[in-house]
Amino acid sequence: MNAALAKALLDLLSATAALCDAGGVAEIANLCGMFDATAVYGLKLHGDDNPTWAQAVKSDEAHHWRDADARSEMQNFERHGTYVEVSEDQLPSWNASTKRAYEVIKMMWVLRKKRDEKGEILKHKARAAVVCGNQQQKRKALASSSEHTLKMFAPADRSATFRLLCTVGCLANLRVRQFDVDAAYLQGSFEANDGEVHVRPPPDERYFDDRGVPIVWKLLKPFYGEADAGRIWHRTAKKQLIEVQGLTQSKFDPCYFFKKYDNEHRVDLVLYVDDCWMADTGTMKADEDLRLFRERFKLTMQTKPKQFLGMNIDMADNGDVKISADAYIKATAEVYLPKPLTECPRFETPSSPL
C-alpha cells in the first residue's frame, strides 16, 4: 500500500501543481506524522560569525581567515580559470585624472563561520564577493545602452517540494543523498549576451603595474555577489541536467528535476542554488547520473544528511525522517534568553490540555 501511494505521489509531483501547494503538502505531512511543526528555514545567530575583513585579520582567528580560507578561495579562482588580469587604463571609461574606470566593480571579503547541526564550528569560510550594489546599477545602465542584457532573476525551490520529496522517500524507502556544489557560482558559464564584467580584486590582493595603473580582473566566470551570478549558475546546472543527462524539469517548480528509467526505477532531485537533495530507487542508473554531474561540477557528498537549508534532518533506520529546527532554536535562545536554555522550563509543543 505504501509503495503504491509513494508511486502515485511521485507521479503527481512530476505532472501536477496541486501538491506543490504548501497547504497540500502540510496536510500530507500531518497525515504521515513524519514532520515537526517547528521546521523552518533558519540561519545561525552568533554575533561573531560574520566579521568584516578588518575585524578578522585583527582577531585571534586571523590565521584561519587569512592563511586557510582566503588562500583556499584564491586557489578556487585559479582552478576554475575565473579571471584574467588587465590594466585598468585599457577599459573604455578610464579617467586619467581619477585613475579609475567607470565600469570596474569593487570586491570585498565576505566571511562566515559554517556550523553543523549542533551549532559547532565546521570551518571558517571566506568568499570574495562583488558587493557594491551602486556600481552594479551602473553595469545595468551600461547593459541597457548596448546589445547585452542584465537579467537577475534566479529561481529557488519551494519548501513544499522538498518536504513532499521527503514524504515520498519515507513511504517508498528511497535512497537519499545530499550534496553541495563547491564554489557553485565559479562553475557557471557566461554566454555571449551576458556582457563583460570587470572587478577590483578584494583587499590584500590588489596591486599595480609598473606604471602605477591598477590591475583589475576581467571575469570569465560569475562571482558571488554579482547581480546575475545566481541566474547564470542555475542556467548552467539546468543545461547539464536536461541537455546532457536527460532529466526533466518540473513545470511547477523550476528547481525540481526527475528522470524515469523504467516502470520501477527513477531519480528525483531538488536543487536549491548549490545545495541538492537527491532521492532514487537504488538503481545503478542513478549512480551513473550522479557520476556525470560530479564529472562536470565539483561536489561534496553526504550519504546520511543531517542538515539541509538550515533544517535538522534526522533519518531513522526504519526509513522515517524527522525535520526540525533544533539548532536554529538553540542558537536563537543563546542570543535572546537571559539564562542558558538548559535552565529554562520545558513545555510540550503543542501544549498538553489543562
Side-chain angles (χ1 to χ4, degrees), residues 19-250:
L19 290 180
C20 287
D21 176 75
V25 174
E27 184 177 354
I28 293 172
N30 288 334
L31 289 173
C32 295
M34 297 174 184
F35 297 99
D36 262 357
T38 57
V40 296
Y41 288 89
L43 298 174
K44 298 298 179 185
L45 298 174
H46 296 268
D48 60 345
D49 273 12
N50 302 92
T52 64
W53 180 253
Q55 292 170 338
V57 296
K58 294 178 182 178
S59 70
D60 295 337
E61 300 171 297
H63 63 287
H64 289 296
W65 297 118
R66 174 181 277 142
D67 299 337
D69 299 284
R71 183 185 299 129
S72 174
E73 182 74 345
M74 295 304 296
Q75 290 172 348
N76 269 337
F77 296 160
E78 296 173 5
R79 181 168 58 251
H80 295 296
T82 55
Y83 66 89
V84 293
E85 295 178 346
V86 298
S87 295
E88 193 168 348
D89 63 352
Q90 296 179 18
L91 304 183
S93 64
W94 168 256
N95 186 320
S97 61
T98 62
K99 292 190 175 183
R100 288 291 185 268
Y102 181 85
E103 66 262 40
V104 178
I105 304 171
K106 292 180 182 179
M107 296 187 69
M108 295 179 61
W109 288 114
V110 178
L111 310 177
R112 180 171 70 90
K113 294 177 184 177
K114 189 171 183 179
R115 298 177 179 270
D116 61 16
E117 70 280 0
K118 297 179 180 179
E120 301 296 327
I121 297 175
L122 287 174
K123 65 177 182 178
H124 296 70
K125 195 170 184 178
R127 288 285 190 208
V130 181
V131 295
C132 291
N134 61 321
Q135 292 180 306
Q136 296 201 58
Q137 286 288 342
K138 296 177 183 178
R139 181 187 164 205
K140 185 176 180 180
L142 287 171
S144 63
S145 61
S146 67
E147 71 276 12
H148 303 300
T149 58
L150 183 60
K151 297 180 180 179
M152 294 173 283
F153 173 76
D157 82 293
R158 300 182 179 186
S159 60
T161 306
F162 166 67
R163 295 176 64 173
L164 180 57
L165 191 56
C166 284
T167 304
V168 172
C170 294
L171 294 173
N173 195 25
L174 299 180
R175 176 177 57 176
V176 173
R177 288 172 284 189
Q178 184 263 331
F179 60 81
D180 299 332
V181 182
D182 296 345
Y185 284 9
L186 303 184
Q187 300 189 62
S189 300
F190 281 124
E191 293 183 356
N193 63 347
D194 291 325
E196 292 186 355
V197 182
H198 295 85
V199 299
R200 199 172 309 284
D204 283 10
E205 301 296 333
R206 297 172 183 170
Y207 55 95
F208 302 83
D209 65 13
D210 296 336
R211 300 168 298 148
V213 175
I215 297 296
V216 298
W217 295 349
K218 175 184 175 181
L219 299 190
L220 305 178
K221 302 280 186 178
F223 274 36
Y224 284 87
E226 190 180 331
D228 53 355
R231 181 187 65 86
I232 293 171
W233 156 245
H234 185 266
R235 181 183 66 195
T236 304
K238 181 176 71 172
K239 185 175 181 180
Q240 171 69 21
L241 290 170
I242 296 176
E243 298 182 14
V244 179
Q245 298 181 224
L247 275 75
T248 301
Q249 184 182 31
S250 168

Side-chain angles (χ1 to χ4, degrees), residues 226-336:
E226 190 180 331
D228 53 355
R231 181 187 65 86
I232 293 171
W233 156 245
H234 185 266
R235 181 183 66 195
T236 304
K238 181 176 71 172
K239 185 175 181 180
Q240 171 69 21
L241 290 170
I242 296 176
E243 298 182 14
V244 179
Q245 298 181 224
L247 275 75
T248 301
Q249 184 182 31
S250 168
K251 296 179 181 179
F252 311 107
D253 187 335
C255 295
Y256 166 58
F257 301 84
F258 63 94
K259 185 176 183 179
K260 295 181 179 180
Y261 299 112
D262 50 47
N263 292 333
E264 297 181 0
H265 297 293
R266 63 181 288 149
V267 62
D268 298 83
L269 62 88
V270 172
L271 185 67
Y272 188 96
V273 191
D274 57 353
D275 294 303
C276 183
W277 186 272
M278 177 178 176
D280 64 81
T281 51
T283 175
M284 293 181 63
K285 294 180 180 179
D287 294 334
E288 175 64 14
D289 270 318
L290 179 57
R291 184 189 66 80
L292 290 173
F293 201 73
R294 294 186 75 169
E295 284 185 355
R296 176 63 178 84
F297 307 109
K298 184 181 178 183
L299 310 179
T300 299
M301 295 294 304
Q302 294 285 343
T303 55
K304 292 185 177 180
K306 297 182 179 180
Q307 193 175 32
F308 187 67
L309 304 181
M311 296 178 289
N312 294 88
I313 312 293
D314 184 11
M315 305 183 69
D317 293 336
N318 64 359
D320 289 353
V321 177
K322 177 183 177 182
I323 302 177
S324 67
D326 289 346
Y328 178 82
I329 293 170
K330 291 177 181 177
T332 305
E334 288 179 6
V335 175
Y336 294 106

